[in-house]
Amino acid sequence: MTHGDGSLIGKLLNTFLALAVTVVFLFPIYWLFAVSFKTPDEIFSYPPTWLPSSLSFDNFIQLFRGGDVRAIGNSIVIAGVSTILAMVMGTIAAYSIARFKTGGENLSTWIISQRLLPPVAIAFPIFLLYSALRISDTYFGLILIYTAFNLPYVIWMMRGYIKDVPLDLEDSALVDGLNHWQILAKVVIPMTTGGLFATAMFTFIFAWNEFLFALILTRSNVITFPVQVTQYFGAQSTFWAKISAMSVLGVLPAFLAVATLQRFIVRGISMGAVKG
């Protein structure tokens, strides 16, 4: 066997492994979409059909007629607003920690350690507090808890991105007469746009997928997408058609956001902010 033959076999093997891994990861998503367009009889047919015999939109129509899609709107509002709040407050805090050593050297480590706390450990106290304050099952209540939980992540990530901005640029801006608020807005944020979008994207996905607090802090007014899906599981029957259709509607916003901001996300991750 020549060196060229070995290299070709290696490339073919790598290609085969890459395709195999891709199929393994994408098959559940494909199956989710396929089931959502099947009729109930076809969903339970045996042997299963790999492709829907005909595209049926009845499962989606039932969700709209029943008002179930309101959960998607609730998730968009709660995840979107909490992400914006966490990004604004977190970026300001990160700038203060990175440039002025606010809280000392260990403050950022202490802040990110709060993100490691298992949410279930404080679920009961949070439930009692929300009940006493009468903010359960409200947009404000969920936005508040999601912002609080995502804030440490935003501070930690943005601190790393801001530290990579050359100090000379900020010193030049100070000489030109800008104050620190103007430097943050006109120098630091434009220089960390990639990191800003990457952090916002992950923060939005964290809030979008959050389940525990959405389950215990909501009843009927602001049910979110993950909680709505669990309501189709019953003791007597499981509504796989609705589960699939709602799941498709639920993953689309995240897919569209990632596809739209992919350029910024890749750029932000490559900036190396994860080094802390």
Side-chain angles (χ1 to χ4, degrees):
M1 179 183 294
T2 64
H3 177 71
D5 293 337
S7 177
L8 178 60
I9 293 175
K11 289 180 179 178
L12 291 175
L13 184 60
N14 289 336
T15 303
F16 174 77
L17 290 176
L19 289 174
V21 171
T22 302
V23 169
V24 169
F25 277 96
L26 290 184
F27 180 76
I29 298 174
Y30 160 74
W31 195 249
L32 178 69
F33 276 78
V35 172
S36 69
F37 290 104
K38 292 181 178 179
T39 62
D41 292 337
E42 192 176 9
I43 291 175
F44 293 103
S45 64
Y46 186 82
T49 55
W50 294 101
L51 289 171
S53 57
S54 62
L55 288 181
S56 172
F57 293 91
D58 291 345
N59 301 328
F60 296 94
I61 293 173
Q62 290 182 21
L63 295 181
F64 280 92
R65 285 179 176 172
D68 296 9
V69 291
R70 185 185 173 195
I72 302 294
N74 291 338
S75 286
I76 291 175
V77 172
I78 294 167
V81 174
S82 65
T83 297
I84 292 172
L85 292 176
M87 289 303 300
V88 172
M89 292 188 288
T91 302
I92 295 173
Y95 181 67
S96 177
I97 293 172
R99 289 296 183 249
F100 307 109
K101 310 299 181 186
T102 303
E105 294 293 333
N106 298 321
L107 178 61
S108 57
T109 303
W110 180 83
I111 289 174
I112 195 60
S113 69
Q114 307 306 304
R115 194 66 176 80
L116 304 178
L117 181 70
V120 70
I122 60 170
F124 185 58
I126 291 292
F127 173 77
L128 294 179
L129 178 63
Y130 270 50
S131 297
L133 296 176
R134 299 181 183 279
I135 57 175
S136 295
D137 205 18
T138 64
Y139 288 107
F140 173 76
L142 279 188
I143 290 172
L144 182 64
I145 193 71
Y146 285 4
T147 303
F149 260 83
N150 285 325
L151 198 54
Y153 170 77
V154 174
I155 293 174
W156 181 261
M157 292 296 289
M158 290 308 300
R159 168 181 166 271
Y161 290 121
I162 292 172
K163 288 179 69 174
D164 287 341
V165 176
L167 274 173
D168 293 342
L169 291 176
E170 298 184 38
D171 292 338
S172 299
L174 281 173
V175 173
D176 291 339
L178 272 63
N179 59 41
H180 287 290
W181 288 104
Q182 292 171 321
I183 292 174
L184 176 62
K186 297 181 179 180
V187 178
V188 175
I189 289 179
M191 293 282 296
T192 59
T193 302
L196 201 69
F197 277 105
T199 305
M201 190 68 258
F202 282 111
T203 303
F204 179 83
I205 292 175
F206 290 154
W208 185 266
N209 292 331
E210 202 286 328
F211 175 74
L212 178 63
F213 288 113
L215 179 66
I216 65 173
L217 297 178
T218 61
R219 294 292 181 271
S220 58
N221 293 329
V222 291
I223 292 178
T224 59
F225 149 69
V227 177
Q228 182 66 42
V229 172
T230 64
Q231 296 189 356
Y232 303 134
F233 292 91
Q236 302 298 325
S237 60
T238 300
F239 302 95
W240 292 110
K242 283 189 173 182
I243 292 172
S244 301
M246 179 59 78
S247 298
V248 167
L249 294 178
V251 300
L252 282 180
F255 276 1
L256 293 175
V258 171
T260 305
L261 302 175
Q262 182 182 14
R263 179 167 58 93
F264 295 103
I265 294 174
V266 172
R267 180 183 167 195
I269 294 175
S270 65
M271 289 173 70
V274 292
K275 67 186 180 183

